[in-house]
Amino acid sequence: MSRKILVLFMLLLSSLLIFATQFSRNIEEKITILRDGTAEVVRTEYIPSSDLAKIFIEYFENMKKSREIFANYLYEVSKEYYFIYGTTPKFSSSDVKFEENSKGFTLTVKMKIPGIVRKDGNVLILSRKNFSDEKLLPKYFEEQIDGKIFESAFLQSEKNYLVTKRLTTIILPENSKIEDLKPIYAKKFDEKWFVDMGGGTTYKAHIEKIEKGVIIEEEIRTSASTPKNLLDEKNNIETLNNLRDYTAFQLLFTNEKMEEKLSQPVDHKIKNDFSGSWSFSVSSGELLSYTFTYGVINVTPKITVTLSFSASLLWEHQWVRTGWFSWSYKFKRFESTITFSPSLTPSITVQSGGSVSKEWSKNLFSKGKTVTFYVSCVPVILYMQAKLDAEAEASISASIGFTAAATFGLNTSLSMKYQNGWSAPLSYNIHYSGVSFTASAKANASAEGRLPFTLAAYVYYVAGPYVKLTPWIKGETNASVGNANQVSYSITGGIKAEGGVAMAGWLKNLCGNIPSFSYQFFDWNRTLASGTKTF
């Protein structure tokens, strides 16, 4: 019996391993305090070979080529240390080294942090998370929440976890004597901390005195499941207070050989909420076409495209002060927008040697662009995609050839917004010109060409806004009108726009806990021309 139980247990364990993935990130930092109160920091990150390591590799390979990406990295890393130590580190691109091999990815950053130690009489004080301005505390919370939003989006499944282990060693100058460790916000000092966001996302840490300073060991688990304690109005004050207290302390020490004049802390400007905008030039006057053939008929939908688009994401957090260094939290709003102003010239050409009725479809191209950026020390991949399809249908009663064409111009900004529910603010303007029609015979015929574009911007290829834009044109002839060398015709056309936003991770949980939001923005159509054609 015991053997059967063991076999069942192993099968169960194997199934869990198959369907759940744990990603790992290890950070070691050695902070050496100099006699002028400056700190020299060596920060080493190691990510074992995995999809997470690939994200880091792509970001830092791109950073080699872009000053803008390095500036983004500098800002985000500096912000993290500013929240913890109240001063801004200094480093350059030459201080950032990374390597990859079959085992994983290793990143090493060397930096200096001025003013990390201050004097109070004969006592020297190193503080963690001692916010000089109370309004900085919600910004620290936002940094943590924003990081979890992107980490949980990367995880995709609620079964997956990211475990970040961080070991911080603070080395005091030689001949230093630790006098005390004091809490900053809590009533008494505790060598252990724990924060439970709910849904499996937790922070835990402990501190230990060593001969030359202290060691802080942390383990942070990120889950894509709902952070119930953060979202619960009754629990989130306590949860945020625990996050406030997490690894917050003052290290008091004495050292007679410290310099009389210590280096001064450097301020860091903190941006409001998360927002980002990215653009992609898809096509500049490119003619795209495909000929569908069926028996005696050839149908060719064509389109000349000039198109670029931009995508933006933003969200806002809402804070209410509930007491001394105490706040409650509510997610205020999320908005995603795709903006574009294309010029589109669709046309449909038919050459038929007899009666036929048929529908076709074909992908013409799929183009993509990858954008990388850092948020709260988390590398993010944004994939911008443009896909064009050709669709056609024809119903022909006899031999005929005809072509219908027009040019459409469109200015639009399509937004999906969540604020106590979903909405889709809309602004668009469509105009057309250059309508033309030719025919070669007197026959009843109908042919329609549709050329749907799909534009998308997906974070980690899974979450973000998308729009399907379908320009179409239809030509029809009527043999019962006109004399023997005339045919009646009409050209109709239009543009249909629909889209939405795919959600994942914490952002899905914050926005009504739905996996996606979809919406039909508009379905514009007109009779572009009609009359009698002589051939």
Side-chain angles (χ1 to χ4, degrees):
M1 177 66 83
S2 60
R3 188 173 181 179
K4 288 183 178 180
I5 293 173
L6 180 61
V7 170
L8 287 171
F9 175 78
M10 294 302 294
L11 289 172
L12 177 62
L13 181 61
S14 298
S15 66
L16 289 173
L17 291 173
I18 290 171
F19 295 108
T21 303
Q22 178 176 296
F23 297 94
S24 299
R25 182 183 184 186
N26 299 286
I27 303 172
E28 290 188 13
E29 53 186 356
K30 183 180 179 182
I31 301 176
T32 303
I33 309 300
L34 306 180
R35 295 193 182 279
D36 70 344
T38 298
E40 290 183 340
V41 180
V42 179
R43 174 187 173 118
T44 303
E45 294 191 45
Y46 172 70
I47 297 91
S49 183
S50 62
D51 288 341
L52 180 62
K54 293 176 184 176
I55 301 290
F56 275 85
I57 291 166
E58 184 164 357
Y59 178 85
F60 285 97
E61 286 291 347
N62 288 339
M63 196 174 78
K64 284 182 178 179
K65 312 165 193 172
S66 171
R67 292 182 180 180
E68 183 180 354
I69 293 178
F70 173 73
N72 164 239
Y73 178 74
L74 175 64
Y75 171 82
E76 292 296 331
V77 172
S78 299
K79 180 178 65 173
E80 180 188 48
Y81 281 89
Y82 179 70
F83 281 135
I84 296 175
Y85 296 107
T87 181
T88 305
K90 298 178 180 179
F91 62 94
S92 66
S93 57
S94 62
D95 296 314
V96 181
K97 308 291 184 184
F98 64 91
E99 61 178 348
E100 58 175 297
N101 53 41
S102 59
K103 293 182 179 180
F105 173 83
T106 302
L107 169 70
T108 302
V109 186
K110 295 181 179 180
M111 60 187 95
K112 286 192 174 183
I113 308 180
I116 200 171
V117 173
R118 66 179 178 87
K119 274 186 179 180
D120 185 3
N122 294 325
V123 178
L124 299 155
I125 303 173
L126 184 150
S127 299
R128 279 178 60 103
K129 297 171 69 173
N130 187 11
F131 299 103
S132 57
D133 183 349
E134 191 176 7
K135 293 180 180 178
L136 280 175
L137 184 56
K139 295 300 178 185
Y140 164 73
F141 293 151
E142 288 178 10
E143 185 218 22
Q144 294 298 308
I145 294 170
D146 289 349
K148 295 293 175 281
I149 285 174
F150 283 107
E151 287 178 354
S152 61
F154 164 78
L155 292 172
Q156 299 182 30
S157 170
E158 294 184 356
K159 296 177 182 178
N160 298 335
Y161 278 89
L162 168 62
V163 177
T164 301
K165 293 185 177 180
R166 185 167 184 166
L167 181 67
T168 302
T169 304
I170 300 176
I171 305 296
L172 299 177
E174 191 176 358
N175 299 319
S176 294
K177 179 184 177 183
I178 296 177
E179 301 293 342
D180 202 359
L181 285 169
K182 289 185 175 182
I184 294 178
Y185 310 103
K187 292 181 180 179
K188 63 178 183 177
F189 181 74
D190 194 335
E191 295 178 347
K192 296 181 179 180
W193 298 273
F194 183 74
V195 184
D196 185 358
M197 292 285 196
T201 297
T202 59
Y203 298 65
K204 67 177 180 179
H206 70 271
I207 187 171
E208 179 184 344
K209 291 182 184 179
I210 59 174
E211 183 181 353
K212 295 182 178 181
V214 295
I215 291 177
I216 306 159
E217 192 168 353
E218 302 177 63
E219 181 177 294
I220 302 170
R221 293 175 65 87
T222 303
S223 165
S225 296
T226 305
K228 296 178 181 178
N229 294 337
L230 177 66
L231 300 185
D232 187 275
E233 292 184 7
K234 295 181 179 178
N235 290 334
N236 73 27
I237 297 174
E238 180 182 356
T239 301
L240 291 170
N241 285 345
N242 290 338
L243 184 58
R244 174 201 65 192
D245 296 343
Y246 178 77
T247 70
F249 63 84
Q250 289 186 328
L251 170 61
L252 282 63
F253 68 100
T254 53
N255 188 317
E256 294 180 355
K257 294 186 178 181
M258 290 290 284
E259 293 183 10
E260 186 65 29
K261 188 175 182 180
L262 300 179
S263 60
Q264 296 299 303
V266 176
D267 198 17
H268 189 282
K269 293 183 179 180
I270 307 297
K271 299 174 183 176
N272 291 324
D273 299 299
F274 173 80
S275 64
S277 180
W278 309 271
S279 61
F280 180 23
S281 179
V282 179
S283 177
S284 180
E286 187 177 1
L287 174 62
L288 299 155
S289 67
Y290 189 82
T291 299
F292 298 105
T293 301
Y294 180 74
V296 295
I297 186 173
N298 291 327
V299 178
T300 305
K302 300 179 183 179
I303 190 166
T304 302
V305 181
T306 299
L307 172 65
S308 62
F309 76 97
S310 64
S312 65
L313 298 172
L314 69 86
W315 54 76
E316 293 182 21
H317 307 283
Q318 183 172 314
W319 303 95
V320 176
R321 191 174 184 274
T322 59
W324 178 76
F325 277 91
S326 181
W327 301 78
S328 67
Y329 172 71
K330 185 178 180 181
F331 187 76
K332 186 176 181 180
R333 76 181 180 109
F334 164 78
E335 187 169 330
S336 176
T337 301
I338 291 182
T339 302
F340 49 96
S341 301
S343 175
L344 309 167
T345 303
S347 66
I348 185 80
T349 299
V350 176
Q351 289 294 332
S352 176
S355 176
V356 70
S357 180
K358 182 69 175 173
E359 294 184 11
W360 303 266
S361 65
K362 174 75 174 179
N363 176 253
L364 294 185
F365 76 59
S366 184
K367 299 181 179 180
K369 172 185 176 181
T370 299
V371 179
T372 58
F373 54 96
Y374 233 55
V375 177
S376 304
C377 288
V378 177
V380 181
I381 300 294
L382 181 83
Y383 182 66
M384 303 185 76
Q385 183 187 44
K387 185 176 74 169
L388 174 64
D389 295 320
E391 299 173 354
E393 59 181 272
S395 179
I396 313 294
S397 65
S399 298
I400 190 173
F402 74 81
T403 298
T407 296
F408 296 115
L410 170 65
N411 296 302
T412 187
S413 180
L414 306 178
S415 296
M416 285 72 72
K417 179 179 178 182
Y418 180 86
Q419 188 167 10
N420 298 318
W422 283 96
S423 62
L426 176 62
S427 172
Y428 75 97
N429 177 50
I430 298 174
H431 56 275
Y432 66 93
S433 61
V435 182
S436 63
F437 179 82
T438 61
S440 64
K442 189 177 182 67
N444 292 325
S446 173
E448 180 177 335
R450 297 179 297 275
L451 295 125
F453 267 101
T454 302
L455 310 175
Y458 291 129
V459 173
Y460 301 121
Y461 304 93
V462 296
Y466 61 91
V467 168
K468 184 177 182 181
L469 184 74
T470 306
W472 61 273
I473 190 165
K474 183 177 183 179
E476 294 180 278
T477 60
N478 186 343
S480 65
V481 176
N483 56 34
N485 63 342
Q486 289 183 323
V487 66
S488 172
Y489 76 92
S490 70
I491 303 174
T492 54
I495 300 178
K496 181 180 179 180
E498 53 194 328
V501 57
M503 309 296 285
W506 277 30
L507 194 58
K508 178 192 73 173
N509 302 325
L510 293 168
C511 297
N513 203 30
I514 62 171
S516 64
F517 168 75
S518 59
Y519 190 80
Q520 181 169 310
F521 293 98
F522 58 81
D523 188 356
W524 181 92
N525 59 85
R526 295 286 189 277
T527 297
L528 306 178
S530 63
T532 302
K533 194 72 177 180
T534 301
F535 50 88

Coordinates of all heavy atoms in Angstrom, one line a residue, residues 157-208:
S157 N 0.6 32.8 -16.5 CA -0.3 31.8 -15.8 C -0.3 32.1 -14.3 O 0.8 32.3 -13.7 CB 0.0 30.4 -16.1 OG -0.7 29.5 -15.3
E158 N -1.4 31.9 -13.6 CA -1.4 32.1 -12.2 C -0.7 30.9 -11.5 O -0.5 31.0 -10.3 CB -2.9 32.1 -11.7 CG -3.6 33.4 -12.2 CD -5.0 33.5 -11.6 OE1 -5.5 32.6 -10.9 OE2 -5.7 34.6 -11.9
K159 N -0.4 29.9 -12.2 CA 0.4 28.7 -11.7 C 1.8 29.0 -11.6 O 2.6 28.3 -10.8 CB 0.1 27.5 -12.5 CG -1.3 27.0 -12.5 CD -1.5 25.8 -13.4 CE -2.9 25.3 -13.5 NZ -3.1 24.2 -14.4
N160 N 2.3 30.0 -12.3 CA 3.8 30.3 -12.3 C 4.2 31.3 -11.3 O 3.4 32.1 -10.8 CB 4.1 30.8 -13.7 CG 3.9 29.8 -14.8 OD1 3.8 28.6 -14.6 ND2 3.7 30.3 -16.0
Y161 N 5.4 31.2 -10.9 CA 6.0 32.1 -9.9 C 7.3 32.7 -10.3 O 8.1 32.1 -11.1 CB 6.2 31.4 -8.6 CG 5.0 31.2 -7.7 CD1 4.2 30.1 -7.8 CD2 4.7 32.1 -6.7 CE1 3.1 29.9 -7.0 CE2 3.6 32.0 -5.9 CZ 2.8 30.9 -6.0 OH 1.7 30.7 -5.2
L162 N 7.6 33.9 -9.8 CA 9.0 34.4 -9.9 C 9.5 34.5 -8.5 O 8.9 35.2 -7.6 CB 9.0 35.8 -10.6 CG 10.3 36.6 -10.5 CD1 11.5 35.8 -11.2 CD2 10.2 37.9 -11.2
V163 N 10.6 33.9 -8.2 CA 11.3 34.0 -6.9 C 12.5 34.8 -7.0 O 13.5 34.4 -7.7 CB 11.6 32.6 -6.3 CG1 12.3 32.8 -4.9 CG2 10.3 31.8 -6.1
T164 N 12.6 36.0 -6.3 CA 13.8 36.9 -6.3 C 14.4 36.7 -4.9 O 13.8 37.1 -3.9 CB 13.4 38.3 -6.6 OG1 12.7 38.4 -7.9 CG2 14.6 39.2 -6.6
K165 N 15.7 36.3 -4.9 CA 16.4 36.2 -3.7 C 17.5 37.3 -3.7 O 18.2 37.4 -4.7 CB 17.1 34.8 -3.6 CG 16.1 33.7 -3.3 CD 16.8 32.4 -3.1 CE 15.7 31.3 -2.8 NZ 16.4 30.0 -2.5
R166 N 17.5 38.1 -2.6 CA 18.4 39.2 -2.6 C 19.3 39.2 -1.3 O 18.7 39.1 -0.2 CB 17.6 40.5 -2.7 CG 18.5 41.8 -2.8 CD 17.6 42.9 -3.2 NE 18.3 44.2 -3.4 CZ 17.9 45.3 -4.0 NH1 16.6 45.2 -4.4 NH2 18.6 46.3 -4.1
L167 N 20.6 39.2 -1.5 CA 21.5 39.2 -0.3 C 22.2 40.5 -0.3 O 23.0 40.8 -1.3 CB 22.4 38.0 -0.4 CG 23.4 37.9 0.8 CD1 22.7 37.6 2.1 CD2 24.5 36.8 0.5
T168 N 22.0 41.4 0.7 CA 22.7 42.7 0.8 C 23.6 42.6 2.0 O 23.2 42.4 3.1 CB 21.7 43.8 1.0 OG1 20.7 43.8 -0.1 CG2 22.4 45.1 1.1
T169 N 24.9 42.9 1.7 CA 25.9 42.9 2.8 C 26.4 44.4 2.9 O 26.9 45.0 1.9 CB 27.1 42.0 2.5 OG1 26.6 40.7 2.3 CG2 28.1 42.0 3.6
I170 N 26.2 45.0 4.1 CA 26.7 46.3 4.3 C 27.9 46.2 5.2 O 27.9 45.7 6.3 CB 25.6 47.2 5.0 CG1 24.3 47.2 4.2 CG2 26.1 48.6 5.4 CD1 23.2 47.9 4.8
I171 N 29.1 46.7 4.7 CA 30.4 46.7 5.3 C 30.7 48.1 5.8 O 30.8 49.0 5.0 CB 31.5 46.2 4.4 CG1 31.1 44.8 3.8 CG2 32.8 46.1 5.2 CD1 31.0 43.7 4.8
L172 N 30.8 48.2 7.2 CA 31.2 49.5 7.8 C 32.7 49.8 7.7 O 33.4 48.8 7.5 CB 30.7 49.6 9.2 CG 29.2 49.4 9.4 CD1 28.9 49.4 10.9 CD2 28.4 50.5 8.7
P173 N 33.1 51.0 7.8 CA 34.5 51.3 7.8 C 35.3 50.6 8.9 O 34.7 50.3 10.0 CB 34.6 52.8 7.9 CG 33.3 53.3 7.5 CD 32.3 52.3 7.8
E174 N 36.5 50.3 8.7 CA 37.3 49.7 9.7 C 37.2 50.4 11.1 O 37.2 51.7 11.1 CB 38.8 49.5 9.3 CG 39.6 48.6 10.1 CD 41.0 48.5 9.5 OE1 41.3 49.0 8.5 OE2 41.8 47.8 10.2
N175 N 37.2 49.7 12.1 CA 37.2 50.2 13.5 C 35.8 50.8 13.9 O 35.7 51.5 14.8 CB 38.2 51.3 13.7 CG 39.6 50.8 13.6 OD1 39.9 49.7 14.0 ND2 40.5 51.5 12.9
S176 N 34.8 50.4 13.1 CA 33.4 50.9 13.5 C 32.8 50.0 14.5 O 33.1 48.8 14.6 CB 32.5 50.8 12.2 OG 32.9 51.8 11.3
K177 N 32.0 50.5 15.3 CA 31.3 49.8 16.4 C 29.8 50.0 16.2 O 29.3 51.1 16.3 CB 31.7 50.2 17.8 CG 31.0 49.5 18.9 CD 31.4 50.0 20.2 CE 30.6 49.3 21.4 NZ 31.0 49.9 22.7
I178 N 29.0 48.9 16.0 CA 27.6 49.0 15.9 C 27.0 49.3 17.3 O 27.2 48.5 18.2 CB 26.9 47.8 15.3 CG1 27.4 47.6 13.9 CG2 25.4 47.8 15.3 CD1 26.9 46.3 13.2
E179 N 26.3 50.4 17.4 CA 25.7 50.8 18.7 C 24.2 50.3 18.9 O 23.8 49.9 19.9 CB 25.7 52.3 18.9 CG 27.1 52.9 18.8 CD 27.9 52.6 20.0 OE1 27.4 52.1 21.0 OE2 29.2 52.7 19.9
D180 N 23.5 50.3 17.7 CA 22.1 49.9 17.8 C 21.5 49.7 16.4 O 22.0 50.2 15.5 CB 21.3 50.9 18.6 CG 20.0 50.4 19.2 OD1 19.7 49.2 19.0 OD2 19.3 51.2 19.9
L181 N 20.4 48.9 16.4 CA 19.5 48.8 15.2 C 18.2 49.3 15.7 O 17.6 48.7 16.6 CB 19.5 47.4 14.7 CG 20.7 46.9 13.9 CD1 20.6 45.4 13.7 CD2 20.8 47.6 12.6
K182 N 17.6 50.3 15.1 CA 16.3 50.9 15.5 C 15.3 50.8 14.4 O 15.7 51.0 13.2 CB 16.5 52.3 16.0 CG 17.2 52.5 17.3 CD 17.2 53.9 17.7 CE 17.8 54.1 19.0 NZ 17.8 55.5 19.5
P183 N 14.0 50.6 14.7 CA 13.0 50.7 13.7 C 12.7 52.2 13.3 O 13.0 53.1 14.1 CB 11.8 50.1 14.4 CG 12.0 50.4 15.8 CD 13.5 50.3 16.0
I184 N 12.1 52.4 12.2 CA 11.8 53.7 11.7 C 10.3 54.0 12.0 O 10.0 55.1 12.5 CB 12.2 54.0 10.3 CG1 13.7 53.9 10.1 CG2 11.7 55.3 9.7 CD1 14.2 54.0 8.7
Y185 N 9.5 53.1 11.7 CA 8.0 53.3 11.8 C 7.4 52.4 12.8 O 6.5 52.8 13.5 CB 7.3 53.1 10.4 CG 8.0 53.8 9.3 CD1 8.8 53.2 8.4 CD2 7.8 55.2 9.2 CE1 9.4 53.8 7.3 CE2 8.4 55.9 8.1 CZ 9.2 55.2 7.2 OH 9.8 55.9 6.2
A186 N 7.9 51.2 13.0 CA 7.3 50.2 13.9 C 7.7 50.7 15.4 O 8.6 51.4 15.6 CB 7.9 48.8 13.7
K187 N 6.9 50.1 16.3 CA 7.2 50.5 17.7 C 8.4 49.8 18.3 O 9.1 50.4 19.2 CB 5.9 50.1 18.6 CG 4.7 50.9 18.3 CD 3.5 50.5 19.1 CE 2.3 51.4 18.8 NZ 1.1 51.0 19.6
K188 N 8.7 48.6 17.8 CA 9.9 48.0 18.3 C 10.6 47.3 17.1 O 10.0 47.0 16.1 CB 9.6 46.9 19.4 CG 8.7 45.8 18.9 CD 8.5 44.8 20.0 CE 7.7 43.6 19.5 NZ 7.5 42.6 20.6
F189 N 11.9 47.1 17.2 CA 12.7 46.5 16.2 C 12.5 45.0 16.1 O 12.6 44.3 17.1 CB 14.2 46.9 16.3 CG 15.1 46.3 15.2 CD1 15.0 46.9 14.0 CD2 15.8 45.2 15.4 CE1 15.8 46.4 12.9 CE2 16.6 44.7 14.4 CZ 16.6 45.3 13.1
D190 N 12.3 44.5 14.9 CA 12.2 43.1 14.7 C 13.2 42.7 13.6 O 13.3 43.3 12.6 CB 10.8 42.8 14.2 CG 10.5 41.3 14.3 OD1 11.4 40.5 14.3 OD2 9.3 40.9 14.4
E191 N 13.9 41.6 13.9 CA 14.9 41.2 13.0 C 14.3 40.5 11.7 O 15.1 40.2 10.8 CB 15.9 40.2 13.7 CG 16.7 40.9 14.7 CD 17.7 40.0 15.5 OE1 17.5 38.7 15.3 OE2 18.5 40.4 16.2
K192 N 13.0 40.2 11.7 CA 12.4 39.6 10.6 C 11.2 40.4 10.1 O 10.5 41.1 10.9 CB 11.9 38.2 11.0 CG 13.0 37.2 11.4 CD 12.4 35.9 11.8 CE 13.6 34.9 12.2 NZ 13.0 33.6 12.5
W193 N 11.0 40.3 8.8 CA 9.8 41.1 8.2 C 9.1 40.1 7.3 O 9.6 39.2 6.7 CB 10.3 42.3 7.4 CG 11.1 43.3 8.2 CD1 10.6 44.4 8.8 CD2 12.5 43.4 8.3 NE1 11.6 45.1 9.4 CE2 12.8 44.5 9.1 CE3 13.6 42.6 7.9 CZ2 14.1 44.9 9.4 CZ3 14.9 43.0 8.2 CH2 15.1 44.1 8.9
F194 N 7.8 40.4 7.2 CA 7.0 39.6 6.3 C 5.8 40.5 5.7 O 5.2 41.2 6.5 CB 6.4 38.4 7.0 CG 5.6 37.5 6.1 CD1 6.2 36.7 5.1 CD2 4.2 37.4 6.1 CE1 5.5 35.8 4.3 CE2 3.5 36.6 5.3 CZ 4.1 35.8 4.4
V195 N 5.6 40.4 4.4 CA 4.5 41.1 3.8 C 3.7 40.1 2.9 O 4.3 39.4 2.1 CB 5.0 42.3 2.9 CG1 3.8 43.0 2.3 CG2 5.9 43.2 3.7
D196 N 2.4 40.1 3.1 CA 1.6 39.2 2.3 C 0.6 40.0 1.5 O -0.3 40.6 2.0 CB 0.8 38.2 3.2 CG 0.0 37.2 2.4 OD1 0.1 37.2 1.1 OD2 -0.6 36.3 3.0
M197 N 0.9 40.1 0.1 CA 0.0 40.9 -0.8 C -1.3 40.1 -1.1 O -2.2 40.6 -1.6 CB 0.7 41.2 -2.1 CG 1.8 42.2 -1.9 SD 1.2 43.9 -1.6 CE 2.6 44.8 -1.9
G198 N -1.3 38.8 -0.8 CA -2.4 37.9 -1.2 C -2.1 37.3 -2.6 O -1.4 37.8 -3.4
G199 N -2.7 36.1 -2.8 CA -2.6 35.4 -4.0 C -1.3 34.8 -4.3 O -1.0 34.4 -5.4
G200 N -0.4 34.7 -3.2 CA 0.9 34.1 -3.3 C 2.0 35.0 -3.5 O 3.2 34.6 -3.5
T201 N 1.8 36.3 -3.6 CA 2.9 37.3 -3.7 C 3.3 37.7 -2.2 O 2.4 38.3 -1.5 CB 2.4 38.5 -4.5 OG1 2.1 38.1 -5.8 CG2 3.5 39.6 -4.5
T202 N 4.5 37.4 -1.9 CA 4.9 37.7 -0.5 C 6.4 38.3 -0.5 O 7.1 38.1 -1.5 CB 5.0 36.4 0.3 OG1 5.8 35.4 -0.3 CG2 3.6 35.8 0.5
Y203 N 6.7 39.0 0.6 CA 8.0 39.5 0.8 C 8.4 38.9 2.2 O 7.6 39.1 3.1 CB 8.1 41.0 0.9 CG 7.7 41.8 -0.3 CD1 6.4 41.8 -0.8 CD2 8.6 42.7 -0.9 CE1 6.0 42.6 -1.8 CE2 8.3 43.5 -2.0 CZ 7.0 43.4 -2.4 OH 6.6 44.2 -3.5
K204 N 9.6 38.4 2.3 CA 10.1 38.0 3.6 C 11.6 38.3 3.7 O 12.3 38.2 2.7 CB 9.8 36.6 4.0 CG 10.5 35.5 3.2 CD 10.1 34.1 3.7 CE 10.8 33.0 2.9 NZ 10.5 31.7 3.4
A205 N 12.1 38.7 4.9 CA 13.5 39.1 5.0 C 13.9 39.0 6.5 O 13.0 39.0 7.4 CB 13.7 40.5 4.5
H206 N 15.2 38.9 6.7 CA 15.7 39.0 8.0 C 17.1 39.6 8.0 O 17.8 39.6 7.0 CB 15.8 37.6 8.7 CG 16.9 36.7 8.1 ND1 16.6 35.9 7.1 CD2 18.2 36.5 8.5 CE1 17.7 35.2 6.8 NE2 18.7 35.6 7.6
I207 N 17.5 40.2 9.1 CA 18.8 40.9 9.2 C 19.6 40.2 10.3 O 19.1 39.7 11.3 CB 18.6 42.4 9.6 CG1 19.9 43.2 9.5 CG2 17.9 42.6 10.9 CD1 19.7 44.7 9.6
E208 N 20.9 40.2 10.0 CA 21.9 39.6 10.9 C 23.1 40.5 11.0 O 23.7 40.9 10.0 CB 22.2 38.2 10.4 CG 23.2 37.4 11.2 CD 23.6 36.1 10.6 OE1 22.9 35.7 9.7 OE2 24.7 35.5 11.0

